[in-house]
Amino acid sequence: MRLRNITTICLTLFILGDSQAEIEHAQRSNRQMAVTVCNDYRETNRLPCFVSRKECPGGFEVIERFANSTGPSYSACRDKRHERPRHYRSSSRLFNTNNQQLLDQFKRLIGEIERHQTGAPAHLPQASQDKLAVFFSGIDLSRIRLAHSKALTNGCFTDCRIIFCASKDQVDVWTNPHAPVLTIRLLHQLAHAERCEIQGGQHRFVQTWLRHLPEDVLTALERGEPIDTKKIHFAIYMETHANNRAESICRRVRCIKD
């Protein structure tokens, strides 16, 4: 009799536990499940993913769509253009002599740009961060800063942490908290910062994407002359990727094509 009671109690607890698990699973909303998929995708691939209440927009691909649970339907979306190159270098690969020389030159370049920086670097306005967070989910936009440097003759350049620009007016426009402006150029530079984060930091970013610094740039460094950012040769893939990212995002937010 006692054995029968124990068996009955165990069966009851098992059934209740199984039912509770089913209830808890059913209570997970479509959005929660889409967020879980995106989190797994980011962790596994170190690539951006965002959750959309509607269908994934053009240029984006559905990883999985959820519509059978509670709440409105949601999709986990990834940017089809945002992929690593086919011949991706292993992060465990050691720097060779040429890579180390390139890293040293890059550090000198950054040091010169920082030395001629005017004023303190500024953060993106909160409104811009909020608008772009869904697209740049792979990085913390609050940690990205922008600064003007007299060491540059044109354009902008990033060391992964700070986006340096030759035009102070451009930096002021991007960082104005009262009238935040998004432009193609800003999105392009943010795509570089994002790629650097995905790559695993500045060293691996430089090792993988910076092809070489021409003699003109090295000579300018030696003489303390302004540097032409167009002569800093990164891999074509990275520039194309940044352009595609910027144009893709610009189509979805209020953006100026500068």
Side-chain angles (χ1 to χ4, degrees):
M1 183 68 179
R2 185 177 179 183
L3 180 60
R4 181 184 297 175
N5 290 339
I6 293 174
T7 303
T8 303
I9 292 171
C10 289
L11 286 172
T12 302
L13 290 174
F14 176 79
I15 292 170
L16 287 174
D18 190 54
S19 299
Q20 184 64 29
E22 290 180 0
I23 291 172
E24 289 177 357
H25 179 75
Q27 286 175 343
R28 295 195 67 215
S29 68
N30 292 317
R31 184 180 184 281
Q32 287 173 322
M33 290 190 285
V35 167
T36 299
V37 168
C38 263
N39 288 340
D40 290 343
Y41 180 82
R42 291 191 197 102
E43 184 176 347
T44 302
N45 300 283
R46 292 187 62 79
L47 291 172
C49 174
F50 74 94
V51 172
S52 174
R53 185 168 176 175
K54 300 178 181 179
E55 296 291 338
C56 294
F60 290 79
E61 183 175 64
V62 178
I63 301 175
E64 192 169 352
R65 183 163 180 80
F66 299 92
N68 298 324
S69 189
T70 59
S73 58
Y74 278 87
S75 297
C77 309
R78 73 176 184 89
D79 190 337
K80 289 190 289 189
R81 298 182 180 89
H82 201 284
E83 293 293 340
R84 289 186 175 90
R86 185 172 299 175
H87 303 293
Y88 175 69
R89 296 185 185 184
S90 170
S91 60
S92 61
R93 181 175 177 178
L94 297 176
F95 297 131
N96 59 32
T97 305
N98 291 335
N99 283 332
Q100 187 58 55
Q101 182 180 17
L102 198 58
L103 280 172
D104 293 340
Q105 292 172 348
F106 186 82
K107 288 178 181 178
R108 284 180 55 206
L109 175 63
I110 295 301
E112 188 69 12
I113 293 173
E114 288 179 336
R115 193 165 69 86
H116 290 86
Q117 176 183 312
T118 62
H123 293 276
L124 283 172
Q126 189 60 51
S128 296
Q129 293 182 38
D130 293 342
K131 189 176 290 187
L132 296 175
V134 68
F135 300 103
F136 291 103
S137 56
I139 56 174
D140 183 356
L141 291 173
S142 66
R143 300 181 66 179
I144 301 295
R145 295 176 295 164
L146 299 98
H148 166 246
S149 175
K150 292 181 179 179
L152 302 176
T153 60
N154 55 40
C156 296
F157 180 79
T158 181
D159 71 343
C160 298
R161 301 173 297 107
I162 304 177
I163 297 172
F164 298 98
C165 295
S167 170
K168 185 177 184 302
D169 291 340
Q170 182 71 86
V171 174
D172 291 342
V173 166
W174 288 341
T175 58
N176 183 354
H178 305 295
V181 174
L182 299 178
T183 72
I184 283 280
R185 289 184 184 179
L186 173 60
L187 298 177
H188 181 102
Q189 292 301 321
L190 290 175
H192 285 328
E194 178 185 49
R195 172 58 62 181
C196 184
E197 177 69 21
I198 291 170
Q199 204 72 47
Q202 186 186 96
H203 283 196
R204 291 195 176 101
F205 177 75
V206 172
Q207 179 199 27
T208 305
W209 299 113
L210 185 61
R211 288 296 174 256
H212 70 281
L213 292 177
E215 287 298 324
D216 290 353
V217 174
L218 298 177
T219 301
L221 280 174
E222 291 291 341
R223 297 177 178 175
E225 297 173 349
I227 298 160
D228 184 353
T229 58
K230 293 180 180 178
K231 293 183 178 180
I232 301 172
H233 295 163
F234 281 94
I236 293 176
Y237 172 88
M238 192 191 73
E239 291 300 322
T240 302
H241 164 266
N243 287 335
N244 288 339
R245 284 282 286 155
E247 291 173 4
S248 175
I249 295 169
C250 192
R251 288 195 295 268
R252 291 161 182 81
V253 298
R254 186 172 295 177
C255 167
I256 297 174
K257 296 186 177 182
D258 53 352

